[in-house]
Amino acid sequence: MKILFLNGPNLNMLGQREPEIYGRTTLSEIEATIRRLAKSRGVEVDFWQSNLEGELVTWIQESAGNFDALVLNAAAYTHTSVALRDAISAAGTPTIEIHLSNTAAREEFRHRSLIAPVCRGVIAGFGSMSYSLAFEAAISLT
Ligand code: CA2
C-alpha cells in the first residue's frame, strides 16, 4: 500500500512562524513521525511540499494508479483552487483533506473548501496529529 502526502504553500514555514496557530512542530518532524508510523504498519509513503499550485496539480495527476490514497493539506489553495479540485476529481485517487488548524473556527474565508466535495473526508484542528489521524484514515479507505 502506498500513501502520498502533499503539502501546499507556506507549510515549509511550520514551526518557525505563528506557533500560536500552527504549533512548534516543523514539517520535517511531521514527515519523520509519518515515516515511523508507515514503517511500523508496512506502508510506503511519499511526502512532498510545494508553494506552486501547478506543481501540486502535477503531483495529484501522477498519483493516479501509483498511490492508493492521497492526504492533502492544500493550505490556502483549499479556499481558492478550482485547479486542485479538478485534479483530485480527474485523478480519482481517494483523497483526505487535512488541516492543522480548525478552519471552521477561523476567518470566514477559511470556512469554504473548494476541494472538500471531491475528497472522501476532512480532518482539521488537531495540529500535527491531523497527519497521523489522516494516515489511519487513509489505511482504512483501501
Ligand atoms: O490549518 C491548516 O493546515 C491550513 O491549511 C494552513 C494554511 C491556511 O491557509 C489554511 O486556511 C489552513 C496556511 C499554511 C501556512 O503555514 C504557515 C506556517 C507557519 C508560518 C506561516 C504560515
Side-chain angles (χ1 to χ4, degrees):
M1 173 174 201
K2 286 177 76 174
I3 304 173
L4 175 62
F5 283 77
L6 289 183
N7 297 280
N10 295 307
L11 287 165
N12 54 313
M13 303 293 287
L14 268 187
Q16 298 168 43
R17 303 263 159 77
E18 302 188 85
E20 65 288 353
I21 303 175
Y22 298 116
R24 293 194 183 278
T25 310
T26 66
L27 196 60
S28 299
E29 289 167 342
I30 292 174
E31 178 179 355
T33 299
I34 292 300
R35 289 198 180 281
R36 262 197 308 276
L37 267 178
K39 199 171 175 193
S40 74
R41 303 291 286 268
V43 171
E44 207 177 309
V45 292
D46 267 6
F47 197 103
W48 302 109
Q49 187 273 335
S50 179
N51 293 324
L52 305 179
E53 188 177 19
E55 192 159 47
L56 293 163
V57 166
T58 299
W59 284 336
I60 292 167
Q61 289 175 357
E62 290 175 355
S63 72
N66 292 312
F67 289 88
D68 300 295
L70 166 63
V71 175
L72 176 62
N73 187 347
Y77 291 143
T78 304
H79 317 298
T80 63
S81 180
V82 177
L84 288 188
R85 179 196 176 115
D86 288 348
I88 295 164
S89 187
T93 310
T95 299
I96 300 168
E97 174 184 343
I98 65 165
H99 300 286
L100 295 147
S101 62
N102 179 1
T103 47
R106 299 184 63 195
E107 304 96 323
E108 192 139 350
F109 67 85
R110 296 187 204 276
H111 296 180
R112 184 182 70 154
S113 167
L114 292 190
I115 64 173
V118 293
C119 291
R120 297 286 286 270
V122 181
I123 296 170
F126 298 98
S128 57
M129 202 172 63
S130 291
Y131 285 77
S132 311
L133 293 170
F135 174 80
E136 295 299 331
I139 288 175
S140 76
L141 279 182
T142 55

